[in-house]
Amino acid sequence: MKVLFLIGNAAVGKMTVGQELMKITDLRLFHNHMTIEPVIEIFGQFNPKAIYRLREVIFEEFASSDCYGLIFTIMWAFDMQSDWDYVEHIKDIFKQRNDNVEFYYVELVAPQKIRLERNVTENRLINKPSKRDIEGSNQRLLNDDANHRCESYDGEITFENYIKIDNSYLAPNIVACKIKEEFNL
């Protein structure tokens, strides 16, 4: 089984690249808002405990399946040890249930200006209802940028099977093809 972490800042294109990658591989996409949006709908607000518990169930069941692999999108604050620990926790879930799991890491980067433009794209707003309040969504993006470092330093990520792609001016399908080719997915 393959688990590909698709990492990057808010609105960098993780979900959209993941959608394209799913089209050209046997990987399934689990973008982070697949648990965020239903929880917000049910509780009327962001509830991290419920979101993480739902993710745990998905990871556990997927890791026990005979599926080819999973793409998981994640905003990783590299300046927070808890985010590093969370990625290791996810990996442990898979390792405990599958002896042949392989991990891949793709970090997407683009400047804030481009990400603010992407923050209002139709695909994003269709799949992420909580982003439809554009002013609030833009403010969260700016706050995240001000409060956390969601782009790794050169050499900081030392995992095997890691690549960093500046997708500022690359179409999502082109990025997906690069990922597929790089890792022979």
Side-chain angles (χ1 to χ4, degrees):
M1 177 174 291
K2 299 177 186 309
V3 177
L4 188 145
F5 292 94
L6 198 46
I7 306 159
N9 263 311
V12 76
K14 299 178 297 290
M15 178 190 67
T16 308
V17 168
Q19 290 168 331
E20 293 299 320
L21 188 57
M22 190 172 76
K23 290 177 187 175
I24 60 172
T25 67
D26 290 326
L27 296 169
R28 302 300 305 160
L29 174 62
F30 180 26
H31 68 79
N32 58 347
H33 275 263
M34 290 172 137
T35 51
I36 293 171
E37 299 302 334
V39 167
I40 290 173
E41 182 69 24
I42 293 165
F43 287 88
Q45 64 187 6
F46 187 81
N47 182 320
K49 184 177 178 183
I51 291 166
Y52 287 113
R53 287 184 63 203
L54 283 171
R55 287 181 185 171
E56 295 276 316
V57 171
I58 300 293
F59 293 139
E60 290 167 2
E61 293 300 318
F62 199 94
S64 299
S65 77
D66 61 357
C67 293
Y68 174 73
L70 183 72
I71 303 161
F72 179 60
T73 69
I74 184 169
M75 235 177 97
W76 184 342
F78 295 106
D79 56 337
M80 293 183 61
Q81 184 60 45
S82 60
D83 280 15
W84 289 84
D85 295 343
Y86 182 60
V87 170
E88 289 303 318
H89 174 69
I90 295 168
K91 289 167 56 178
D92 286 342
I93 291 171
F94 281 88
K95 288 190 263 188
Q96 289 170 9
R97 289 163 180 80
N98 194 310
D99 293 332
N100 297 318
V101 66
E102 298 171 349
F103 298 103
Y104 301 86
Y105 311 83
V106 177
E107 183 179 359
L108 302 178
V109 296
Q112 186 181 78
K113 180 178 187 253
I114 289 174
R115 293 186 295 111
L116 284 167
E117 291 168 4
R118 290 178 180 169
N119 200 37
V120 298
T121 60
E122 181 180 8
N123 186 45
R124 183 172 176 82
L125 299 179
I126 287 170
N127 287 284
K128 301 177 181 183
S130 63
K131 303 296 182 184
R132 293 178 187 158
D133 168 9
I134 303 301
E135 187 176 323
S137 182
N138 283 345
Q139 191 57 56
R140 282 190 301 277
L141 186 154
L142 295 171
N143 289 344
D144 286 340
D145 283 4
N147 295 318
H148 299 289
R149 183 174 55 82
C150 294
E151 183 176 327
S152 70
Y153 294 135
D154 289 341
E156 182 175 17
I157 305 296
T158 58
F159 299 126
E160 195 174 326
N161 300 322
Y162 163 79
I163 58 171
K164 187 178 207 176
I165 300 173
D166 183 338
N167 67 325
S168 299
Y169 302 103
L170 296 174
N173 63 317
I174 300 299
V175 177
C177 285
K178 284 178 173 270
I179 295 166
K180 179 181 177 178
E181 291 170 16
E182 174 73 21
F183 296 130
N184 196 29
L185 300 171

